[in-house]
Amino acid sequence: MVIPMELLVAGGFYTFAAAAIAGAISLIIARNVFHSALFLTLTLASAGGVFVILGADFLAAVQLLIYVGAVMILILFGLMLTPQDVELPNLSTPGQAISGAIVAAAIFVVSAATLLSAQWSGTAAEPSDVATTEQIGVSLFTTFVLPFEIASVLFLVAMIGAIVIARER
Amino acid sequence: MSFLSCPFPALVCNPFGLARDGIYGLLAAIVPEPLPTVALTVLGIAMLIAIIALTVMSQVWVERRAVAFLQERLGPNRVGPAGVLQSVADVLKLLLKEDLIPFKADRATFVVAPLVVLVPSLSVWSLIPWGPGLAIADVNVGILLVLAIGSFTTLGILAAGWASANKYSLLGGMRVAAQLISYEVPLVVSALVPVLWAGTASLQGIIESQATVWNVFVLPVGPIAFLVFLIAGIAEVNRSPFDLPEAESEIVAGFHTEYSGMRFALFFLAEYSNSLAIGALAAVLFLGGWQGPILPPYVWLFFKAYAVFLILVWIRGTLPRLRYDQLMHFGWKVALPISLVTLGATAVLVSAVQGTAA
Amino acid sequence: MPPSLPPLYPITLQHGLLLGAALFSVGLAGVLAKRNAIVILMAVEVMLNGVNVTFVAFAGYLQPPVLTGQVFAVFVIAVAAAEAAVGLAIIIAIYRLRQTVQVDKADELRG
Amino acid sequence: MTEDPSAERARNVRPIPMLTQIGGRRIAPEGAEGTPEIPFELRQNVMIASVDRLVNWGRKSSLWPMAFGLACCAIEMMAAGAARFDLSRFGAEVFRPSPRQADLMIVAGTVTIKMAPAVRRIYDQMASPKWVIAMGSCTIAGGPFQGSYSTVPGIDNFVPVDVHVPGCPPRPDALIWGIMKLQEKIETESLYRTNDGR
């Protein structure tokens, strides 16, 4: 008997997917904001694992480097600069929370139904296994050079804006 | 698997090769295909962790003796010949020390935080190649992944500082966050210089591109990038003179103020493992990795990593701790511009070289 | 006709898309249900990640392979980082002004 | 048969009464009062003896002190750590700033009544096993300030002291002597019975 490689890949996918969704749900349920942030890290790191399985290794590294290394630290920093009221309920009013959950569930059902019933043509049976770093680099500087520049300008604007807004007067 | 620059029989270059093949043959006879590979990988990881733990114990002793030497002292010399068993005694003591969890602490986070620090610092080692084909995982985005995994450490330290419910711990955690955000950028940018030079982000590829000349000797960018990488690396692993997160003269023991016994030892282990990992990374990126004459490759990489670690110890024994604003100033206004200029210059050089070659 | 669920393995395009949709919906629920601005920011990050998973799934399964999806995911990550920086700056400014990060307390512009 | 020198030490350990009842309920059989007599030969032969020896070796070789200097004795304590006397030979140069990670509290200097609660608190914050060295006459008995309105007449009024190091201030070699005495004391401890009754 030979265990096919796809089964291992599938096991990895389900593990990471379950971790990502569990992290996201715990993020919402957690009473403590710091715990929410830690659960968000779990979600982001698991999404990185999913990226690897879907054949995007460069993107997985970027995901970990930027999200965990920068965005999460930034969020935790903001968390510590704004002392939280532990007493106050973190959730909105029950009505708003329930209606929010219903809306989200509805959107999930509709999109799931759509994407399951759609006939996807021209798709492969398994994710492509090519080295992506070089191709992404080349396409960033040829096909997508304009979006790339716009993103750079956006970064600059965001950086200056953040400094201006958060500066103590 | 090619053994390009190894002048020895394959057994010497890859001492685990024979054992690996034997175990693989044994397992393959019993269980179906992917399982032997998985089992071997797990075995390799376990061996690596054991080696790293032993190395860390040697590092602690070497550091204490070296700092003593720098300060004209003797250093630990009572347990075992020249005190080599000192770390064994330390570990034994820390293992049996009471494990305190403060009453107000956030229990779950407090318990998990040291593991969040330790696990990435050990996982980094699975990506570092010890010789041609001698790495647990050789991925083509190696350098990015190493740095990405390394940044998890910050998160664990921040969580530890927050979970301790102690003002000093929190301050230490905040300092770690600010410091690592500042020094992560120069670290990554200066690590990209060898990537540009080699034309690949795979650690094996970077090492193989240094077959004729080490990156640190590639004038004029090599030495500068190496220096920036080393400084940012010291800041990244929170060692003196950048050990502000645990500055005892200001904030008691920083993020690990409330940690005792084995949990504290885990932080300790992670810090030393990270120091050696920075050494290994510097060796891979700038010092030719496992390449070197006569000796087998893994010995060369170990020597180089340990040499960089000794430089770290030397710096620790020489320089006083920086002030916080000096640290920030240096990170953003000195290290970052220098590394960016170096990267730009490298890009120009690489395209000029490629232009003349074409 | 009810949609048929894909078999458990091998992993196909639908699995990735389902995961993306699930992450997006959970993030949306968080945005709608929470009142702490920082948690809302985190939930937005989860939504963006769901979108990223979708992009990457499309890029991975497209035949012949085209990496446009991954490039877009890179842009999404970049924009998410910028958004987090600006968002946190705004939250900190609000906190300085009103000593709270609950979004329903910052409702001065409401008529 | 020649007497093992550690036998004398082992006999001199203060016996700890055996725990015979919890909350009024007897848990030990009738007649089992006090420390059970363990013959010396047996102590050497049962396994716990070698485990004890290993553990005690680890503990005595790695005594990390609290950085806790109160007055002039602290200067001598610093000298003990510095180049000439070099405490690090005993593995004891790792002065920990946090009590959680320290094994040994060297109370160096005059303890005032105002400081006493802090000393006790630091001691309580340390993780077991922990030891205390009272360094200098002030710490031992009040020294030249004995009987004054502000000085504690000896810290063994509120923390259990393991070794007293007399002197005003004691020289660094005296402190090192105290640490070696403490190491001897640690050697007599056991996992099921420590000297401070825990």
Side-chain angles (χ1 to χ4, degrees):
Chain A
M1 191 195 97
V2 170
I3 298 178
M5 208 59 202
E6 289 97 56
L7 192 61
L8 287 182
V9 171
F13 179 85
Y14 288 124
T15 312
F16 283 126
I21 293 176
I25 292 176
S26 316
L27 187 166
I28 299 174
I29 297 175
R31 301 184 67 92
N32 192 319
V33 188
F34 198 90
H35 289 170
S36 292
L38 294 182
F39 284 127
L40 176 60
T41 318
L42 178 66
T43 301
L44 298 177
S46 311
V50 170
F51 286 175
V52 172
I53 286 172
L54 294 181
D57 42 3
F58 173 74
L59 211 59
V62 167
Q63 165 100 354
L64 290 188
L65 197 63
I66 292 184
Y67 266 119
V68 179
V71 173
M72 278 317 300
I73 304 295
L74 213 61
I75 287 178
L76 289 176
F77 222 77
L79 216 60
M80 289 174 176
L81 286 178
T82 53
Q84 309 294 319
D85 295 324
V86 190
E87 310 301 325
L88 269 177
N90 224 326
L91 228 51
S92 296
T93 51
Q96 204 175 343
I98 291 169
S99 51
I102 289 173
V103 168
I107 285 186
F108 175 69
V109 168
V110 168
S111 53
T114 313
L115 66 89
L116 285 179
S117 57
Q119 295 296 316
W120 302 103
S121 60
T123 60
E126 54 186 31
S128 55
D129 190 22
V130 290
T132 53
T133 316
E134 204 175 328
Q135 291 184 34
I136 289 180
V138 168
S139 54
L140 269 183
F141 284 102
T142 52
T143 324
F144 298 103
V145 69
L146 189 65
F148 181 77
E149 291 301 327
I150 292 175
S152 315
V153 174
L154 178 75
F155 256 135
L156 188 66
V157 171
M159 211 160 72
I160 297 173
I163 292 171
V164 168
I165 294 172
R167 197 176 52 182
E168 302 221 30
R169 269 174 280 265
Chain B
M1 216 168 285
S2 64
F3 292 92
L4 10 132
S5 76
C6 187
F8 296 99
L11 184 60
V12 182
C13 285
N14 190 347
F16 313 115
L18 198 67
R20 185 188 58 195
D21 295 345
I23 296 172
Y24 184 82
L26 210 64
L27 284 175
I30 310 169
V31 283
E33 178 26 46
L35 285 183
T37 318
V38 173
L40 274 176
T41 313
V42 171
L43 197 69
I45 291 169
M47 260 174 64
L48 200 63
I49 289 177
I51 292 172
I52 296 304
L54 282 176
T55 314
V56 165
M57 281 164 78
S58 85
Q59 275 174 281
V60 174
W61 175 75
V62 164
E63 169 156 17
R64 285 169 81 167
R65 290 289 286 194
V67 170
F69 170 75
L70 290 171
Q71 297 171 349
E72 295 209 41
R73 293 188 285 115
L74 284 170
N77 65 357
R78 290 299 154 108
V79 281
V84 283
L85 295 181
Q86 185 61 51
S87 314
V88 182
D90 286 340
V91 168
L92 203 60
K93 180 206 75 178
L94 283 169
L95 263 174
L96 290 156
K97 206 138 167 70
E98 187 184 357
D99 176 33
L100 289 169
I101 299 181
F103 178 66
K104 286 265 188 176
D106 189 300
R107 269 189 96 87
T109 319
F110 189 85
V111 171
V112 169
L115 298 176
V116 177
V117 176
L118 182 67
V119 170
S121 70
L122 292 178
S123 341
V124 163
W125 286 101
S126 65
L127 294 164
I128 289 179
W130 288 87
L134 192 56
I136 289 180
D138 182 22
V139 283
N140 63 6
V141 286
I143 181 65
L144 281 178
L145 205 54
V146 165
L147 296 171
I149 292 175
S151 61
F152 266 90
T153 309
T154 324
L155 208 70
I157 291 178
L158 205 52
W162 177 83
S164 297
N166 178 321
K167 289 188 191 74
Y168 298 116
S169 297
L170 191 61
L171 280 173
M174 298 270 287
R175 283 184 174 198
V176 172
Q179 177 171 330
L180 267 80
I181 278 200
S182 314
Y183 280 87
E184 185 102 354
V185 185
L187 189 81
V188 175
V189 171
S190 58
L192 285 181
V193 170
V195 172
L196 275 190
W197 215 251
T200 170
S202 141
L203 293 179
Q204 284 289 11
I206 292 173
I207 293 174
E208 277 157 22
S209 77
Q210 303 177 61
T212 48
V213 57
W214 293 359
N215 276 335
V216 67
F217 296 128
V218 176
L219 296 171
V221 286
I224 305 173
F226 177 65
L227 211 61
V228 173
F229 183 84
L230 199 62
I231 293 172
I234 295 173
E236 187 85 1
V237 298
N238 301 325
R239 282 184 64 91
S240 184
F242 298 111
D243 58 345
L244 281 127
E246 39 191 295
E248 70 258 22
S249 51
E250 304 160 37
I251 49 172
V252 193
F255 58 89
H256 56 56
T257 300
E258 297 288 350
Y259 281 86
S260 70
M262 212 48 220
R263 296 189 206 287
F264 168 66
L266 293 184
F267 280 121
F268 218 66
L269 179 61
E271 182 183 327
Y272 278 88
S273 165
N274 276 335
S275 311
L276 199 68
I278 284 291
L281 219 50
V284 166
L285 291 176
F286 293 99
L287 303 177
W290 37 257
Q291 299 188 359
I294 303 169
L295 292 170
Y298 50 92
V299 176
W300 270 112
L301 186 81
F302 191 79
F303 271 2
K304 288 171 182 172
Y306 224 96
V308 177
F309 170 72
L310 283 178
I311 295 179
L312 260 60
V313 172
W314 182 17
I315 292 172
R316 183 203 146 168
T318 312
L319 294 178
R321 188 179 295 131
L322 260 70
R323 219 173 50 218
Y324 194 63
D325 58 321
Q326 292 170 331
L327 180 96
M328 283 294 155
H329 176 92
F330 186 81
W332 287 111
K333 296 185 186 166
V334 182
L336 182 59
I338 288 181
S339 59
L340 282 175
V341 168
T342 317
L343 186 67
T346 313
V348 170
L349 276 175
V350 167
S351 50
V353 168
Q354 280 174 353
T356 51
Chain C
M1 184 193 99
S4 59
L5 284 172
L8 279 180
Y9 81 93
I11 299 296
T12 58
L13 175 63
Q14 275 92 336
H15 289 87
L17 296 183
L18 267 180
L19 176 64
L23 279 180
F24 185 85
S25 313
V26 174
L28 183 68
V31 171
L32 291 178
K34 301 294 269 193
R35 68 200 304 204
N36 185 319
I38 295 181
V39 179
I40 291 177
L41 203 64
M42 292 189 226
V44 170
E45 299 289 343
V46 172
M47 288 171 75
L48 288 171
N49 250 274
V51 174
N52 264 357
V53 169
T54 312
F55 271 136
V56 171
F58 274 125
Y61 284 95
L62 220 55
Q63 204 59 259
V66 180
L67 288 177
T68 312
Q70 292 198 23
V71 176
F72 264 86
V74 170
F75 283 130
V76 170
I77 290 178
V79 171
E83 173 238 321
V86 176
L88 279 168
I90 292 174
I91 290 171
I92 288 173
I94 290 178
Y95 179 78
R96 282 224 189 88
L97 224 56
R98 340 188 148 256
Q99 311 299 318
T100 182
V101 289
Q102 312 282 327
V103 277
D104 47 4
K105 296 277 172 58
D107 54 357
E108 202 156 76
L109 283 182
R110 197 160 73 182
Chain D
M1 184 187 152
T2 52
E3 182 88 310
D4 189 304
S6 66
E8 185 59 35
R9 281 206 301 269
R11 284 202 200 95
N12 288 339
V13 171
R14 175 164 50 95
I16 305 293
M18 195 181 195
L19 189 65
T20 53
Q21 50 185 9
I22 296 174
R25 249 188 71 207
R26 257 196 106 68
I27 55 166
E30 287 295 330
E33 304 289 342
T35 310
E37 282 294 317
I38 301 174
F40 170 65
E41 291 78 14
L42 197 59
R43 287 190 191 196
Q44 293 297 302
N45 283 327
V46 289
M47 203 182 70
I48 198 136
S50 34
V51 174
D52 270 347
R53 201 180 290 168
L54 183 70
V55 169
N56 287 342
W57 170 79
R59 285 179 175 163
K60 79 167 189 175
S61 311
S62 164
L63 279 172
W64 293 0
M66 258 305 291
F68 196 52
L70 293 175
C72 35
C73 284
I75 303 295
E76 302 295 320
M77 184 168 74
M78 291 170 210
R84 181 157 178 165
F85 297 95
D86 193 16
L87 211 49
S88 73
R89 291 174 291 150
F90 305 92
E93 90 275 33
V94 193
F95 278 89
R96 295 309 311 173
S98 161
R100 305 279 190 214
Q101 296 141 18
D103 310 291
L104 165 65
M105 182 162 81
I106 302 176
V107 184
T110 320
V111 182
T112 56
I113 289 171
K114 212 168 179 179
M115 191 65 190
V119 175
R120 174 71 211 196
R121 186 176 181 155
I122 300 262
Y123 177 78
D124 288 339
Q125 282 175 338
M126 283 164 70
S128 294
K130 50 190 172 184
W131 298 277
V132 179
I133 286 182
M135 182 186 180
S137 348
C138 302
T139 324
I140 296 171
F145 311 106
Q146 193 186 27
S148 92
Y149 66 97
S150 63
T151 310
V152 173
I155 61 160
D156 34 14
N157 284 314
F158 52 89
V159 288
V161 178
D162 289 280
V163 176
H164 294 86
V165 180
C168 190
R171 285 180 52 83
D173 23 18
L175 178 61
I176 290 176
W177 170 85
I179 286 176
M180 289 168 80
K181 277 287 156 202
L182 181 62
Q183 289 186 333
E184 281 175 25
K185 186 174 179 183
I186 291 170
E187 275 178 357
T188 68
E189 290 187 347
S190 171
L191 278 179
Y192 61 87
R193 163 181 51 68
T194 51
N195 285 344
D196 59 355
R198 260 176 284 107

